[in-house]
Amino acid sequence: MRYLPIDPVLFVSNRQRLTVLLKPQSLVVLNANDVLPTNADGTMTFRQNNDLFYLTGVDQEETRLVLFPDHPDPKYRQALFLRETSELIEVWEGHKLTKAEAEATTGIPQHQIYWTAQFEQVFVQMIFEAERVYLNTNEHTRAIAEVQSRDARFIAQFRQQYPLHPLERLAPLMHQLRAIKQPQEVALIQTAVDITEKMLRRLLGFIKPGVWEYEIEAEMMHEFLRHRSRGAAYSPIIASGSNACVLHYIDNSALCQDGDVILLDLGAEYANYNADMTRSVPVNGRFTARQRAVYDAVLRVMKEATQMLRPGNLWDEHHHEVTKVMESELIGLGLLDRHDVAHQNPDAPLYKKYFMHGTSHFLGLDVHDVGNKYRRMESGMVFTVEPGIYIPQEGLGIRLENNVLITETGNTDLMARIPLEAEEIEELMN
Ligand code: GLY
Ligand code: MN
Ligand code: MN
C-alpha cells in the first residue's frame, strides 16, 4: 500500500467495539469487495469493502473475516482468510500478504489466519456452535444494487448450506460504529484534508483564462498522487461558468473563460479515508461585484450552518434551519421575493430553485458515509457542510464545502486552514 502503516490498535479496538453490540453466541462474516471488470480482460482498481477494512485494515481482494467472540474454544473466536499466493501470482500481480504481515496489519494472531482454501474446514468448527449469524448487506439509502457483491453471494450460499441458522443484519451495527470516528480515523481524514489543501493552493496558482477544466484535473491528480493518495475520493467536479449549475458535472472538458467563476468539488483519498471539499473561484483572479455578493451569501450560510453542527442536533432539523438562512440570503440577492416566500407552498419551498441539495452528509471511509440520520449528532461524527447557490440564467454556481468534526462542546473545522474568504482566494490567485 502506498499509505503509511496504520497502527493495528485501531482495528483491534474496532472489532472489540463490534463484539459489544452482538447478541450472545453470534457469528459474523464479512467479505472483501470484488475486483470489478471493465471490458475484455480489464479490471477497475481494487477498492476494499469498507466494513471489512474497518475491522481488519486488510486492503487485499478475496479476504474474509469471521468473528465468534463466544466460541467455547478461544482459537475459533476469530478467523481471517487470505488469498494464498503462488509463483504465478507473484509474477503477474506481485506481492500478497503473508500471515506475518497480516498479523502486523490486523492484530489478529497468526494461528487465527488461514488461506481461503481452508475456509470450509475451519468454518464447520465454528458454525454449529453459533445460535445466530450476522451477515453484511449494503444498507446505504442511495446504494446501487445492480451488482451482486461477494457478501450478497455469500448470503445466498450460506442460506442454502445452513438453512436453520437465523440471520441478523450486520449493517445497522456497522453504521452505528462507523458514524463515530476514532481519533486515529480523524487523523486519517485530516491527512486527506491536508493533501486536499496542498492541491487547492497549487490550483490557485494555475487557474487562469484559457486553461481547460481537464488541465486543472491533471494538476489536481499530480498533487494528490505525490502525497501517497490513491487519487480522488470521488469523481472530481471542475465546472466553470454555467457548468457549475449541473450538480454532478464530471466531464471537465470546457475552456475556462475570463469573467467566469469555476466550481471545484475536489477531495483526496488517503488510506481509504476521504476529504470532500468545494471552492468556487474566479477564473481571472477577481470576483465581479455580483459574483462576490453571491459568494459572500453562500459563505454566510456556510458559517451559520457550521455553527449549528453541534451535539444533540438532528440532521433533518439542521438542514431545515439552514434553508431558512438560505431563504433570507436569496431574498437579499434579489433572487426570491419576500412576499412570495411568505406565501409559498411549504411542500415546494421556493429556495429549492437555487439550492436543491442537502447541507451535510456523514464523511469517512465512504464519501457519503454510513450513519443514521435520525441519530442525534455526537462527538466523533464527521459531517460536510456544503451550501450552494446555482443561478443558470447568470451562468453562475457557487458552492463552498468544508469537513467538520463534532466535539463535546461544538465542532472543529478540519478544513480551517484551507483558504475560504474571498479576499484570501483573490490574493493567492494574484
Ligand atoms: N463531492 C460529493 C459531495 O459533495 O457530496
Ligand atoms: Mn463535495
Ligand atoms: Mn459533500
Side-chain angles (χ1 to χ4, degrees):
M1 293 308 134
R2 63 176 65 148
Y3 52 84
L4 299 172
I6 300 170
D7 188 332
V9 164
L10 173 63
F11 308 113
V12 172
S13 77
N14 286 349
R15 290 193 297 276
Q16 277 164 356
R17 287 181 311 111
L18 173 60
T19 297
V20 172
L21 301 180
L22 300 173
K23 293 177 185 171
Q25 301 300 329
S26 294
L27 182 146
V28 183
V29 185
L30 293 102
N31 288 282
N33 279 344
D34 279 314
V35 177
L36 293 170
T38 54
N39 290 286
D41 63 349
T43 57
M44 293 186 197
T45 308
F46 176 67
R47 181 64 168 81
Q48 186 56 285
N49 177 280
N50 282 332
D51 292 323
L52 181 66
F53 183 80
Y54 183 84
L55 296 173
T56 65
V58 173
D59 219 336
Q60 184 168 289
E61 70 284 356
E62 296 178 27
T63 307
R64 183 176 281 161
L65 176 70
V66 184
L67 300 175
F68 190 167
D70 297 334
H71 195 291
D73 184 345
K75 176 176 162 59
Y76 292 118
R77 290 185 185 160
Q78 55 185 355
L80 180 72
F81 296 88
L82 295 175
R83 184 179 182 208
E84 188 173 12
T85 196
S86 66
E87 269 179 40
L88 197 74
I89 292 172
E90 292 283 345
V91 168
W92 285 85
E93 296 180 35
H95 184 68
K96 300 293 164 187
L97 285 178
T98 63
K99 289 184 184 178
E101 288 166 340
E103 173 173 354
T105 303
T106 62
I108 297 172
Q110 276 188 60
H111 71 273
Q112 293 174 320
I113 301 178
Y114 309 88
W115 305 124
T116 47
Q118 295 169 276
F119 178 73
E120 289 301 332
Q121 160 203 342
V122 176
F123 196 61
V124 290
Q125 300 299 322
M126 304 172 90
I127 187 62
F128 299 122
E129 302 302 322
E131 282 177 17
R132 60 187 62 79
V133 177
Y134 285 83
L135 297 179
N136 210 9
T137 49
N138 184 351
E139 295 193 8
H140 197 287
T141 50
R142 289 199 269 175
I144 296 161
E146 279 162 35
V147 182
Q148 215 192 15
S149 66
R150 288 177 96 81
D151 273 326
R153 300 198 302 272
F154 184 82
I155 292 170
Q157 187 200 324
F158 181 88
R159 281 188 142 147
Q160 209 169 30
Q161 219 166 335
Y162 306 104
L164 301 183
H165 277 72
L167 295 186
E168 298 271 349
R169 290 155 54 214
L170 181 63
L173 306 187
M174 296 308 302
H175 292 197
Q176 187 180 334
L177 292 176
R178 282 177 50 194
I180 308 293
K181 272 65 182 174
Q182 301 303 301
Q184 271 184 276
E185 294 188 275
V186 175
L188 292 167
I189 296 172
Q190 186 69 60
T191 301
V193 165
D194 294 346
I195 297 169
T196 304
E197 175 184 356
K198 291 188 178 82
M199 179 278 304
L200 179 74
R201 290 183 184 276
R202 176 181 179 135
L203 258 49
L204 292 178
F206 177 79
I207 293 170
K208 56 178 182 302
V211 305
W212 295 84
E213 291 167 349
Y214 53 77
E215 291 182 278
I216 297 170
E217 185 172 336
E219 291 292 307
M220 175 204 79
M221 278 306 269
H222 190 158
E223 200 61 27
F224 284 172
L225 295 178
R226 63 198 284 258
H227 297 293
R228 295 181 177 273
S229 163
R230 203 155 34 189
Y234 49 90
S235 299
I237 299 173
I238 301 173
S240 59
S242 56
N243 291 337
C245 299
V246 179
L247 294 180
H248 291 163
Y249 174 82
I250 54 171
D251 206 31
N252 306 342
S253 59
L255 188 68
C256 299
Q257 308 282 352
D258 196 357
D260 278 348
V261 167
I262 182 164
L263 184 153
L264 309 161
D265 187 344
L266 310 172
E269 175 273 358
Y270 179 79
N272 291 322
Y273 284 83
N274 301 296
D276 184 5
M277 179 202 73
T278 308
R279 291 292 182 273
S280 303
V281 310
V283 167
N284 65 15
R286 295 273 173 222
F287 290 106
T288 65
R290 174 62 173 173
Q291 290 165 351
R292 178 65 193 267
V294 178
Y295 190 97
D296 286 345
V298 175
L299 184 55
R300 281 192 294 271
V301 177
M302 184 198 210
K303 286 178 179 172
E304 288 217 36
T306 304
Q307 284 273 317
M308 294 188 284
L309 286 173
R310 277 199 306 267
N313 285 355
L314 269 180
W315 190 80
D316 264 342
E317 287 170 8
H318 175 260
H319 180 62
H320 184 68
E321 290 305 312
V322 171
T323 63
K324 284 199 241 166
V325 182
M326 179 61 89
E327 223 161 49
S328 76
E329 290 292 351
L330 291 170
I331 292 168
L333 290 168
L335 292 166
L336 294 184
D337 178 84
R338 189 177 301 281
H339 179 266
D340 293 345
V341 168
H343 295 92
Q344 69 189 353
N345 172 1
D347 293 331
L350 297 172
Y351 72 80
K352 283 199 174 179
K353 181 172 175 198
Y354 301 103
F355 174 45
M356 58 297 273
H357 56 74
T359 310
S360 292
H361 54 80
F362 286 100
L363 177 73
L365 282 170
D366 282 293
V367 175
H368 294 170
D369 208 20
V370 294
N372 189 311
K373 70 173 193 161
Y374 301 106
R375 179 176 178 182
R376 290 194 179 272
M377 293 180 189
E378 279 174 56
S379 169
M381 289 181 176
V382 175
F383 288 100
T384 64
V385 53
E386 48 180 307
I389 296 177
Y390 310 91
I391 321 170
Q393 65 271 24
E394 298 182 27
L396 177 64
I398 290 179
R399 175 165 69 253
L400 299 170
E401 176 174 23
N402 274 7
N403 304 156
V404 172
L405 168 70
I406 309 289
T407 61
E408 297 291 343
T409 53
N411 68 59
T412 303
D413 189 339
L414 302 177
M415 292 188 160
R417 286 194 299 267
I418 303 187
L420 177 64
E421 298 287 334
E423 289 88 359
E424 193 183 0
I425 298 281
E426 289 185 340
E427 214 168 283
L428 288 165
M429 291 187 82
N430 289 281

